[in-house]
Amino acid sequence: GRGIGLKNKTKAYKLQEKGYDTVEANMELGFVPDLRDYEACAIILKDYFKVGSLRLLTNNLKKVKPLQEKGIHAVMTPIKIEPNKHNEKYLGTKKARMGHRL
């Protein structure tokens, strides 16, 4: 749940059922939209596994930058997702408020 833990993620889902978007729900609970830190992943990949390049399947630019800063040639391959009535608002929030490439 973007680093907020299972209990708080459940609370965030309840807020989303009341009309909050995913960012608003996290903020209502006192969290920033995304608490995850990807620097440790970059260190493990580079220093332990000796990864020099990779293709990352993600829409989240925040996952790519730490890899590149560590000297890993990281190519982002966005995941194509067709919006539907169940995910349209969620995907729109990810794009507009979290900078995801959709």
Side-chain angles (χ1 to χ4, degrees), residues 1-85:
R2 289 190 219 107
I4 67 173
L6 184 57
K7 183 177 180 181
N8 286 316
K9 188 61 179 176
T10 302
K11 290 178 184 179
Y13 283 144
K14 291 195 181 297
L15 290 171
Q16 286 175 273
E17 289 172 1
K18 294 179 180 180
Y20 289 74
D21 70 28
T22 185
V23 171
E24 293 166 340
N26 277 23
M27 293 175 72
E28 180 70 17
L29 294 172
F31 299 104
V32 297
D34 192 344
L35 286 171
R36 295 175 294 184
D37 179 358
Y38 301 102
E39 186 175 349
C41 295
I43 292 168
I44 291 167
L45 288 169
K46 180 71 173 187
D47 296 344
Y48 184 75
F49 291 109
K50 309 298 184 202
V51 172
S53 65
L54 58 78
R55 180 174 306 275
L56 192 63
L57 299 172
T58 185
N59 297 327
N60 186 349
L61 290 169
K62 288 183 179 181
K63 293 179 180 179
V64 177
K65 188 176 179 184
L67 298 170
Q68 293 172 336
E69 289 174 348
K70 186 67 178 163
I72 298 171
H73 178 71
V75 176
M76 181 175 133
T77 301
I79 302 166
K80 296 183 189 319
I81 302 167
E82 288 297 322
N84 60 53
K85 67 180 182 177

